[in-house]
Amino acid sequence: MEPHPWWRGNLPAEPSRFVGRQAEVTKALKLLADTSSVTITGAAGVGKTRIALRAAAECRDFHPDGAWLVELSGERDGGLLPHAVAAVMGMPERSARPQDDLLVEFLAGKHLLLVLDSCDRLAVACRELAVRIRAEAPGVRLLLTSRRPLGLPHEAVLPVEPFRPPAPRTPDPRTFAPRTPALRTPALRAPEPWTPDQRTPPAPRTPDQRTPDPWTSAPDPTDAATDDALRIFLDRAEAVAPGLVRGEADTGAAERICRLLGGVPLALELAAGQLPAAPRSAGPLPAAPSPTGSLPTPPPLAGSLPAVPPPAGSLPAAPPPVGSLSAGSSSAESPAGPVEWLADRLEERFEPRPAAHPPFFRPQRLRAVIDWSHELCSPAERLLWARLSVFAGPIDPESARWVCGDERLTGVPDLLAGLAAKGLLTPVPGGYRQPEPVREYGAERLARLGEEARMVRRHRHHHLGLARRAEAGWYGPAQEEWAARLRFSLPDLRRVLGSPSDPLSAELAGILWILWHCMGRLNEGRRHLGRMIAAAPVADPGLPRLLWADACVAAAQGDPERAHRRAEAALSAALDWSDHAAAGHARLALACHALLTGALGEVRPAVRRAREHFHRAGVMTVGEPLALVVAAIADTWRGEFARAVTTLEEAGRLCEARGELWARAQCDHVLSIARLGLGEADEAARAAGRSLAARWRLRDTAGAAEALGQLAVIASIQGDARRTARLQGAEKRMRGLSGARGPGRESVCEPGTVAERTARQLLGDDAYDAAFAEGCDDDPGSAVLHALG
């Protein structure tokens, strides 16, 4: 079994070797041992996320319920924060109560580490959620990253500075002179204490005691930390250009680069990423050929902006293209190698400026390196970089090609690989992630190009198309793949859903009923659907889908009044538009309402009408087997087990013909109950096992817990008391994993209660408790294997 399976967290593998920062990691771990929340602060590109992830990985085994990363850099709506956290941890949303209440209740009994990364844009929401978690979930540790402290009560703050660059080995006329005292930031008083009633925390102030400036103060040559900047540059250089750095001259040039960039890790990584494009020999530097897939330089494309004034942090005059000499240079002054070439180009970038221009400060240096990296990219790479900024989350190559590619920009997969080689994209499973400073820079460039509105439209159309394909493919053999694809794209789907008045957003909210209903995101779906319905015109042809989708969500959450109201409105609107597919789903929602309210005699007629509408529409939909399952549930509640079995066998054949899993799992669970009602325990066990296997494959932990409970009841009837006890222990563990409540053991007639009482009578209390504890101690994967064995 994998050492860290999905139910133990989602920490990603490190994209490159971890260099330095062990002191900061140790401090973070010590602070986490002493307090429930730690905020890692620092400027952009300083390495906050890497420190947080390394600290989380090192203490992961001390948190039985796992370590979870929630990336917030692409989120814009603070109200969706509890949904984002719940989605990452796989917590089902089966109640209509406020999501933050449900999340805190879910976390209350957990012992886990929660990493909230890039809290800056959602600072108020993150602060409010963190305060609640600290108060109501004492077993949860919070590790947050932000450019500024969040202002939490008793907040433990770990400030992170850039690496200290190596000191010059000998006096070098090319190094900077120290800034004059007049340019230093004046010391400020300590900040006033923050109180929870303040809306935003006070801005951090510079402490009275000044810290050394990496490029104006000579570091202590005996300090081992001064080697970290050099180590990270050399490590990244070796990754992108193996064997390029060799000899004292190259090492000295690398040290000079570290000093020029002030030890900012992201700036060093980006600089190292330019080495493959650097000239390899001394002498006059020939013009480098255009990279594969790039567009011809003359005339320049919109990706290069020679006429636009450079942003703050860059020099007014752009450097020459890669492979050419900078202005004022001669062939005799050419560098001896690529590393020295890079150092010289950076030095020209940061050379002392005229008196009218202030010197570069630390954040400006990262910005200037990003700007220079942009200039050294090919025109096609620059254009792609700008267009990628419309994505909120991870980017897969297919989405990048569809959204960003056109007749001016071809070969997108190769260009993505080129940007990743330069450190401008970080590889993640399934695609790439943009560092936030890189994304922000790309967004500025996209706005200057005048393409922002066009790219946003393409982004919205692409994700609407993705949802349409997912809905069409859901009732088929690719269900697992579509579930994974929707989880991967959830940040971007949320961004598209952020405009209730946009018809595309409304259509998307309805199409994503499979995400809301089938994948357990009920509360988030209710939020989006309610906003879209309120904004939709009465004559909108997409309104029936929104209404029946919301009715299905309400029925699944046990809200029969809302389900009935929405279903009736959906049916009326669907019939007005002759939309028989929508009418079928509305009839299905009415059948669910009848089931919830105990009107069992109304269930089968509603199901029959729903199927008639589906057949008139001529569509193959998962709603048809689901309608048969609803009818069979009503039959089992009336004790008509044989009729239920006949109905479920028909539903099973429909699912099997399509290679479908989700509805088949519901079907098999009810079939197990009906078979057991007929006294066919072995057949019931096989059906429950199929349901458990399918639900586990789809990561439906609440459904898996339900299946384990059914298998425990069957084991009791078969006389296997020890298996009953162990399966009931595993059921409890699985319900804890999902946050789902049990079926209500307070009733003496509840099957689980009867099974427990029978097992205790056969085993004795001590033996039952021991077997139950064994099931509780099993990890969920082992419990599923045991149950299926």
Side-chain angles (χ1 to χ4, degrees), residues 141-152:
R141 291 289 183 266
L142 289 167
L143 188 55
L144 309 101
T145 71
S146 177
R147 296 183 188 181
R148 295 185 178 184
L150 296 180
L152 293 168

Side-chain angles (χ1 to χ4, degrees), residues 578-599:
S578 298
D579 186 346
H580 290 286
H585 284 285
R587 292 283 189 190
L588 174 57
L590 289 172
C592 293
H593 172 265
L595 187 68
L596 288 172
T597 56

Side-chain angles (χ1 to χ4, degrees), residues 206-552:
T206 306
D208 291 332
Q209 183 177 2
R210 297 169 184 161
T211 56
D213 190 317
W215 58 78
T216 62
S217 303
D220 181 359
T222 64
D223 184 1
T226 60
D227 294 334
D228 289 337
L230 179 61
R231 288 171 57 211
I232 194 170
F233 177 81
L234 294 179
D235 180 79
R236 303 305 186 256
E238 181 65 22
V240 300
L244 194 64
V245 183
R246 56 170 70 94
E248 285 294 320
D250 286 341
T251 302
E255 291 176 345
R256 185 153 52 103
I257 291 170
C258 296
R259 290 191 293 275
L260 288 164
L261 298 182
V264 178
L266 180 58
L268 293 170
E269 294 188 16
L270 294 177
Q274 304 303 329
L275 284 174
R280 292 296 192 270
S281 61
L285 302 178
S290 298
T292 302
S294 64
L295 301 180
T297 301
L301 283 177
S304 61
L305 306 169
V308 177
S314 61
L315 292 179
V322 177
S324 65
L325 291 175
S326 59
S329 307
S330 67
S331 61
E333 297 170 338
S334 299
V339 185
E340 289 194 72
W341 176 89
L342 181 62
D344 289 342
R345 299 292 84 75
L346 285 170
E347 189 169 83
E348 292 170 3
R349 197 100 184 144
F350 298 134
E351 65 186 358
R353 309 182 70 184
H357 298 279
F360 286 104
F361 294 95
R362 184 181 295 122
Q364 294 174 312
R365 288 178 180 261
L366 173 61
R367 172 58 185 247
V369 172
I370 294 176
D371 190 60
W372 190 52
S373 298
H374 180 268
E375 292 168 1
L376 294 181
C377 288
S378 70
E381 288 174 330
R382 286 179 245 173
L383 188 56
L384 177 60
W385 178 352
R387 291 178 174 182
L388 289 174
S389 64
V390 297
F391 286 90
I395 306 162
D396 65 277
E398 179 189 348
S399 295
R401 180 182 59 80
W402 202 99
V403 174
C404 304
D406 56 19
E407 67 281 357
R408 299 169 57 202
L409 191 62
T410 59
V412 169
D414 291 338
L415 294 172
L416 286 170
L419 291 175
K422 293 177 172 67
L424 296 163
L425 295 174
T426 302
V428 297
Y432 301 91
R433 181 182 62 83
Q434 298 177 89
E436 187 60 15
V438 175
R439 187 205 312 268
E440 292 172 349
Y441 185 92
E444 293 176 13
R445 288 284 167 173
L446 187 66
R448 294 184 180 190
L449 291 170
E451 288 198 341
E452 185 175 17
R454 176 171 171 262
M455 286 299 108
V456 168
R457 284 196 303 272
R458 295 194 65 163
H459 176 269
R460 297 172 69 80
H461 279 285
H462 168 69
H463 285 91
L464 178 60
L466 172 67
R468 286 171 177 164
R469 298 197 306 275
E471 185 189 33
W474 185 258
Y475 189 33
Q479 205 168 69
E480 282 182 278
E481 290 78 2
W482 282 116
R485 183 71 181 273
L486 290 176
R487 282 193 292 265
F488 182 90
S489 301
L490 190 51
D492 286 282
L493 293 170
R494 288 194 184 112
R495 177 165 288 187
V496 177
L497 291 166
S499 303
S501 59
D502 190 322
L504 292 182
S505 298
E507 183 180 355
L508 179 63
I511 290 174
L512 286 177
W513 75 275
I514 58 174
L515 178 61
W516 317 137
H517 184 67
C518 305
M519 294 176 60
R521 309 261 56 83
L522 295 171
N523 240 1
E524 182 173 355
R526 185 171 183 149
R527 172 190 175 95
H528 292 301
L529 290 166
R531 292 165 59 236
M532 303 302 172
I533 291 171
V538 176
D540 186 348
L543 184 59
R545 179 193 287 272
L546 291 172
L547 290 167
W548 70 250
D550 194 47
C552 290

Side-chain angles (χ1 to χ4, degrees), residues 90-94 695-696 699-708 731 734-735 737-741:
M91 168 193 156
E93 303 175 354
R94 297 196 168 189
R695 286 168 158 178
W696 187 245
R699 299 191 180 186
D700 178 6
T701 51
E706 189 177 49
L708 286 169
E731 177 195 4
M734 191 73 76
R735 289 195 184 279
L737 181 68
S738 68
R741 296 183 176 182

Side-chain angles (χ1 to χ4, degrees), residues 502-764:
D502 190 322
L504 292 182
S505 298
E507 183 180 355
L508 179 63
I511 290 174
L512 286 177
W513 75 275
I514 58 174
L515 178 61
W516 317 137
H517 184 67
C518 305
M519 294 176 60
R521 309 261 56 83
L522 295 171
N523 240 1
E524 182 173 355
R526 185 171 183 149
R527 172 190 175 95
H528 292 301
L529 290 166
R531 292 165 59 236
M532 303 302 172
I533 291 171
V538 176
D540 186 348
L543 184 59
R545 179 193 287 272
L546 291 172
L547 290 167
W548 70 250
D550 194 47
C552 290
V553 167
Q557 290 185 318
D559 187 348
E561 291 78 13
R562 181 184 176 111
H564 185 263
R565 186 171 65 253
R566 294 297 203 201
E568 288 283 6
L571 180 60
S572 175
L575 293 177
D576 288 342
W577 284 97
S578 298
D579 186 346
H580 290 286
H585 284 285
R587 292 283 189 190
L588 174 57
L590 289 172
C592 293
H593 172 265
L595 187 68
L596 288 172
T597 56
L600 301 184
E602 300 176 12
V603 173
R604 275 205 171 264
V607 167
R608 184 179 63 254
R609 294 190 187 99
R611 297 188 71 190
E612 289 172 356
H613 282 298
F614 289 143
H615 293 164
R616 289 186 65 182
V619 296
M620 302 293 290
T621 171
V622 73
E624 184 171 9
L626 191 59
L628 292 172
V629 171
V630 171
I633 293 174
D635 292 337
T636 61
W637 288 3
R638 286 196 297 249
E640 299 178 5
F641 299 116
R643 188 182 190 187
V645 167
T646 300
T647 301
L648 292 166
E649 286 177 342
E650 181 183 0
R653 286 192 295 271
L654 290 174
C655 293
E656 187 174 354
R658 301 285 298 183
E660 198 271 349
L661 279 178
W662 177 77
R664 179 62 187 266
Q666 323 301 317
C667 174
D668 280 329
H669 181 74
V670 182
L671 180 61
S672 175
I673 296 173
R675 291 285 189 189
L676 201 58
L678 293 173
E680 301 171 356
D682 291 342
E683 290 294 329
R686 280 191 282 272
R690 290 195 301 270
S691 178
L692 173 61
R695 286 168 158 178
W696 187 245
R697 284 177 61 183
L698 292 172
R699 299 191 180 186
D700 178 6
T701 51
E706 189 177 49
L708 286 169
Q710 174 67 6
L711 285 169
V713 171
I714 297 169
S716 173
I717 292 173
Q718 293 174 326
D720 192 340
R722 191 179 186 285
R723 176 175 169 81
T724 298
R726 182 169 177 179
L727 286 173
Q728 288 188 327
E731 177 195 4
K732 180 180 179 181
R733 172 71 184 273
M734 191 73 76
R735 289 195 184 279
L737 181 68
S738 68
R741 296 183 176 182
R745 295 284 171 83
E746 68 279 357
S747 171
V748 295
C749 297
E750 198 272 328
T753 301
V754 175
E756 178 184 345
R757 186 170 63 246
T758 302
R760 285 186 181 277
Q761 290 174 350
L762 293 174
L763 289 176

